[in-house]
């Protein structure tokens, strides 16, 4: 049975996507990512000499600063900072520019659901715009579980609030790998079959989680297309900057 959504979308249908890059003159890299009425702007500064306290000087350091649309940063925003940081650390090649810090500033323009995946998508595009060496790109999505057991993708804020549980999933996009060399397989499995970041809120069974993985991975193909459309024309120049 098909679930009714307030905006008329089907369960697996994403909101309209838009990505723009190189939009801030003073940043080394920048990008915005929009999904429906959710929009995030990310600026990248660096790499700058030196690492933050308690960071390994033999590797590059990624610093993430989350700026909400209004008000002070709270516990949830601090958690978002850590998730984005760990995600970006996993896709960046950290041994190319050791003892440096790259600052990633996440500015929330509007939040109408799926905010964290939107921020991760924007951050990935901004890193490419800044010429930061990456192992591969990443695409993020939110999957929600209704009380009826039905799964919907890319929820609005109202849908998020009414759901039993939801999962944030980040998948690798190896098609546009900017790594100069190296295998795109992990333990014999193609990289696109893996998961970079996974987080859940609420009660969700293993079967429900696996269904979210399957639905989310299938839907990120459209997001990958948006990334390719916006990154491909300048990818050669980005590789030159990274080198």
């Amino acid at each position: 049975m098909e679930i009714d959504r307030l905006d008329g979308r089907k369960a697996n249908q994403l909101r309209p996507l838009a990505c723009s890059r190189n939009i801030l003159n003073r940043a080394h890299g920048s990008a915005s990512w929009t999904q429906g009425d959710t929009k995030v702007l990310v600026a990248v500064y660096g790499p700058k000499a030196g690492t933050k306290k308690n960071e390994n000087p033999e590797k590059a350091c990624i610093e993430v600063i989350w700026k909400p649309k209004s008000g002070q940063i709270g516990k949830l925003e601090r958690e978002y900072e850590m998730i984005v940081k760990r995600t970006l650390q996993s896709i960046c090649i950290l041994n190319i520019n050791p003892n440096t810090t790259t600052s990633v500033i996440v500015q929330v323009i509007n939040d109408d659901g799926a905010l964290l995946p939107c921020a991760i998508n924007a951050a990935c595009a901004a890193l490419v715009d800044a010429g930061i060496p990456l192992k591969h790109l990443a695409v993020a999505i939110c999957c929600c579980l209704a009380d009826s057991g039905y799964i919907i993708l890319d929820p609005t804020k109202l849908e998020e609030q009414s759901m039993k549980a939801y999962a944030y999933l980040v998948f690798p996009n190896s098609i546009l790998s900017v790594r100069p060399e190296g295998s795109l397989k992990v333990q014999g499995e193609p990289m696109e079959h893996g998961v970079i970041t996974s987080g859940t809120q609420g009660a969700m069974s293993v079967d429900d989680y696996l269904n979210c993985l399957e639905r989310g991975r299938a839907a990120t193909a459209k997001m990958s297309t948006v990334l390719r459309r916006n990154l491909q024309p300048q990818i050669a120049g980005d590789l030159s900057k990274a080198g």
Side-chain angles (χ1 to χ4, degrees), residues 1-192:
M1 180 178 179
E2 188 71 34
I3 192 170
D4 292 326
R5 305 184 70 171
L6 293 177
D7 55 9
R9 285 183 292 150
K10 296 184 182 299
N12 290 344
Q13 188 176 355
L14 306 179
R15 292 173 292 178
L17 304 173
C19 177
S20 300
R21 54 186 288 208
N22 194 25
I23 52 182
L24 297 176
N25 293 331
R26 296 186 178 181
H28 295 117
S30 59
S32 67
W33 184 275
T34 303
Q35 291 178 219
D37 290 330
T38 299
K39 183 174 182 178
V40 177
L41 173 65
V42 174
V44 174
Y45 299 90
K48 299 169 289 187
T51 55
K52 296 295 181 179
K53 187 178 179 181
N54 299 324
E55 297 283 352
N56 184 358
E58 295 183 359
K59 292 185 177 181
C61 169
I62 304 294
E63 172 190 43
V64 175
I65 300 173
W66 187 283
K67 293 188 174 183
K69 180 180 179 180
S70 61
Q72 300 294 319
I73 188 170
K75 182 179 179 181
L76 180 61
E77 288 79 15
R78 294 295 184 195
E79 182 179 347
Y80 283 172
E81 282 182 342
M82 185 58 64
I83 294 172
V84 175
K85 176 179 178 177
R86 290 177 176 174
T87 300
L88 299 184
Q89 283 178 326
S90 71
I91 68 173
C92 291
I93 306 177
L94 300 177
N95 58 357
I96 287 184
N97 296 305
N99 197 28
T100 63
T101 297
T102 296
S103 298
V104 179
I105 316 298
V106 179
Q107 176 66 63
V108 178
I109 306 300
N110 194 55
D111 177 13
D112 186 37
L115 179 61
L116 180 58
C118 194
I120 292 172
N121 291 329
C124 184
L127 287 176
V128 172
D129 192 56
I132 303 299
L134 305 179
K135 302 172 187 174
H136 50 80
L137 299 179
V139 283
I141 193 169
C142 180
C143 306
C144 283
L145 177 67
D147 289 329
S148 61
Y150 214 86
I151 294 174
I152 66 171
L153 302 182
D154 188 23
T156 63
K157 194 72 171 178
L158 283 176
E159 287 176 329
E160 277 185 344
Q161 294 169 349
S162 64
M163 291 294 114
K164 174 184 177 182
Y166 53 88
Y168 294 125
L169 303 168
V170 185
F171 299 97
N173 177 357
S174 60
I175 297 176
L176 272 182
S177 174
V178 295
R179 191 174 188 174
E181 56 187 26
S183 173
L184 292 178
K185 292 187 176 182
V186 177
Q187 296 181 349
E189 286 292 322
M191 186 178 292
E192 60 269 21

